[in-house]
Amino acid sequence: MNKLLVTASAVSIFVGLGGIAAAQEYTIGVSNTVQGNGWREEMICAIKAQALDSGLVSSLNIAHRNTDAAGQLEDIRNLIQAGVDAIVVNPANPEGINAAVKEATDAGIIVVAVDQAVTEPSAYVLSNNQEEYGYLGAKWLFEQIGGEGSVVYMRGAAGASADDDRDKGFKRALAEYPGVSVAQEVFTGWQQDQGKQQILDYLATGIPFDGVWTSGIDNVIVDAFVESDAPLVPIVGADNAGFVGQLASVDGLVGAAVTNPGSIGGAGVTLALQILEGNAPAEKTVLVAPELWDNVSDEGKAKIAEAQNPNLDPEWPVSVSIPDFTTYTTEEIIACKGPGE
């Protein structure tokens, strides 16, 4: 598939809200396979808030549970049977749900994959650039430790395309720093409790290491160091509210947040509506470029200070909107209400 690489502020060039004319109301289906994770919960709330704010969605049909590709196939087929006009899906893996995606598009249903890609060419993909996410954070971390030493590599969910893409970025950076090695590699499943226990177990071994790269399970990793009274090492995470707050407040913490907005879910609603209204983007895949905010540079410190939001759940990304792509307010996404609620 052809790809466009854009910054969040430039997305409107391709899918701005101005192309949507109020003609009718639609039913949008949603399929998500990770529940209880703050990023995914924000994604669902962004979908609800944008659907409500658009004035074009009469109802949402949301399948939101912990499941695998087989379960998601079932969920998508149920949405097809329900007669939705479009489906916004965060896929379990790139190929595993292609059969159901093709069935949906063959039935005239618009499918927009957000956060992670599918390889079915009839679908649209609107995603944060996950490979660049992995590369930016890893490169910063390796430079921070002087290009020498070992790091704990805390991945997401095995088999998820976002994890695979981030791994490509991490490995690309690792190849540039031959003096850096991986002391321990684990899959957190993007679950807070699991990630925290994994780092506590590794700290208990007493094996020295020089840094930690996390796939967005981050504030609890800092908590584990503090609670264990272990010396802090440089830590990379995402722009989750709790971690961004720690970067500004925890004494001795050196770290960086890589942006990965959960509001991509609301952006997926906007894209689906625009396509339904006959205004499809020029390319099937649009990637939103991440930024890195560290608490070492003046520029990074300024970004971190600006991003503080004590009203958000600690697991929610602070980037609750994407300019010109979502139109709800911060209060509306926190309320997490969709049409009819």
Side-chain angles (χ1 to χ4, degrees):
M1 285 186 284
N2 291 325
K3 295 182 180 180
L4 294 172
L5 178 62
V6 298
T7 62
S9 61
V11 172
S12 60
I13 295 172
F14 307 101
V15 286
L17 291 168
I20 298 177
Q24 67 181 88
E25 291 191 337
Y26 300 100
T27 299
I28 294 182
V30 180
S31 175
N32 176 53
T33 62
V34 178
Q35 193 175 37
N37 167 279
W39 193 98
R40 296 294 185 104
E41 299 301 329
E42 184 184 274
M43 182 193 78
I44 293 295
C45 290
I47 287 170
K48 289 183 175 184
Q50 188 59 40
L52 180 62
D53 203 62
S54 73
L56 296 177
V57 180
S58 58
S59 63
L60 292 170
N61 189 332
I62 300 177
H64 176 42
R65 61 175 176 141
N66 288 317
T67 189
D68 57 10
Q72 191 166 42
L73 278 168
E74 178 184 350
D75 289 345
I76 294 172
R77 286 172 174 146
N78 287 338
L79 293 173
I80 295 169
Q81 289 298 313
V84 300
D85 298 296
I87 297 173
V88 176
V89 56
N90 194 326
N93 62 54
E95 292 84 23
I97 62 169
N98 278 350
V101 171
K102 183 67 162 57
E103 290 166 24
T105 56
D106 283 349
I109 298 169
I110 302 300
V111 176
V112 178
V114 296
D115 181 41
Q116 308 184 89
V118 292
T119 55
E120 167 51 47
S122 61
Y124 291 83
V125 175
L126 176 58
S127 177
N128 300 307
N129 190 329
Q130 303 295 354
E131 182 174 339
E132 195 65 12
Y133 174 101
Y135 177 77
L136 279 180
K139 186 175 189 295
W140 179 90
L141 181 62
F142 302 159
E143 289 177 348
Q144 197 63 38
I145 65 174
E148 299 284 341
S150 63
V151 299
V152 175
Y153 180 32
M154 306 192 74
R155 299 179 61 173
S161 64
D163 180 80
D164 290 341
D165 288 345
R166 290 179 181 185
D167 184 57
K168 291 175 186 174
F170 182 92
K171 297 287 177 55
R172 177 156 58 95
L174 195 63
E176 296 175 6
Y177 293 84
V180 176
S181 62
V182 174
Q184 173 87 333
E185 179 176 336
V186 295
F187 288 95
T188 66
W190 286 310
Q191 298 296 330
Q192 297 278 92
D193 291 347
Q194 182 170 320
K196 185 175 183 180
Q197 190 58 55
Q198 287 166 333
I199 195 66
L200 284 170
D201 290 344
Y202 196 68
L203 286 170
T205 68
I207 300 172
F209 58 94
D210 303 289
V212 181
W213 183 97
T214 79
S215 190
I217 299 300
D218 37 42
N219 64 299
V220 293
I221 304 306
V222 178
D223 290 343
F225 274 86
V226 174
E227 292 166 14
S228 301
D229 201 25
L232 284 163
V233 297
I235 297 173
V236 170
D239 58 334
N240 301 317
F243 183 60
V244 171
Q246 289 171 330
L247 289 174
S249 64
V250 175
D251 289 341
L253 174 62
V254 172
V258 184
T259 59
N260 185 53
S263 45
I264 200 79
V269 171
T270 298
L271 177 55
L273 290 172
Q274 181 156 14
I275 298 167
L276 286 167
E277 293 288 305
N279 297 299
E283 307 291 353
K284 282 292 188 75
T285 297
V286 177
L287 298 179
V288 179
E291 298 178 3
L292 184 141
W293 309 334
D294 66 30
N295 66 355
V296 178
S297 68
D298 290 341
E299 181 182 3
K301 288 177 183 178
K303 290 276 192 180
I304 290 167
E306 182 183 358
Q308 299 297 318
N309 190 336
N311 296 320
L312 293 180
D313 184 290
E315 295 181 40
W316 275 36
V318 294
S319 44
V320 295
S321 62
I322 297 178
D324 298 322
F325 215 159
T326 59
T327 57
Y328 51 75
T329 65
T330 300
E331 291 74 21
E332 286 171 331
I333 189 175
I334 291 174
C336 201
K337 300 292 185 183
E341 293 188 76

